[in-house]
Amino acid sequence: MMKFKNVIYVLAIMFVAVYTYQRNSNQQNSFLLANIEALSNNNEGGGHDEIDETLVPYKQLSSIDVFLGNNLFPTKIPCCISHSSKYSGCAKGLTDC
């Protein structure tokens, strides 16, 4: 009789654990789907076709080393280099390398 009660307890615990896991899994899946839909919707802003106005497309941030005065170590000066993607960007106002 004691073994039967232990089996019932174990089965009840397993049922609750599986039910809780499934509920959390479904909730996570719905959140994931909502995030994917939000990212794919260009009408609500934040779409991939919008480019920041402060950036120059097809450019990427880089730097050049310049020796200033009698310094033994170079100073890195930021500049822009060409890049193949229109979604890349470099700040307007920086010179080309």
Side-chain angles (χ1 to χ4, degrees), residues 72-85:
L72 297 175
F73 300 103
T75 300
K76 292 205 176 284
I77 306 293
C79 58
C80 298
I81 59 173
S82 295
H83 194 271
S84 60
S85 173

Side-chain angles (χ1 to χ4, degrees), residues 12-25:
I13 290 171
M14 287 176 54
F15 174 77
V16 170
V18 168
Y19 175 76
T20 304
Y21 174 77
Q22 286 293 336
R23 188 180 64 189
N24 288 341
S25 178

Side-chain angles (χ1 to χ4, degrees), residues 25-93:
S25 178
N26 290 337
Q27 189 176 29
Q28 287 177 351
N29 288 340
S30 65
F31 287 145
L32 180 61
L33 182 60
N35 285 340
I36 290 171
E37 288 174 354
L39 288 173
S40 67
N41 190 353
N42 288 334
N43 295 333
E44 295 182 11
H48 297 292
D49 291 335
E50 298 174 10
I51 297 176
D52 189 349
E53 294 177 7
T54 63
L55 299 177
V56 178
Y58 299 107
K59 296 287 185 175
Q60 179 178 352
L61 181 63
S62 185
S63 64
I64 56 174
D65 292 335
V66 177
F67 289 92
L68 301 173
N70 294 330
N71 291 336
L72 297 175
F73 300 103
T75 300
K76 292 205 176 284
I77 306 293
C79 58
C80 298
I81 59 173
S82 295
H83 194 271
S84 60
S85 173
K86 74 175 183 177
Y87 300 114
S88 63
C90 190
K92 284 185 179 179

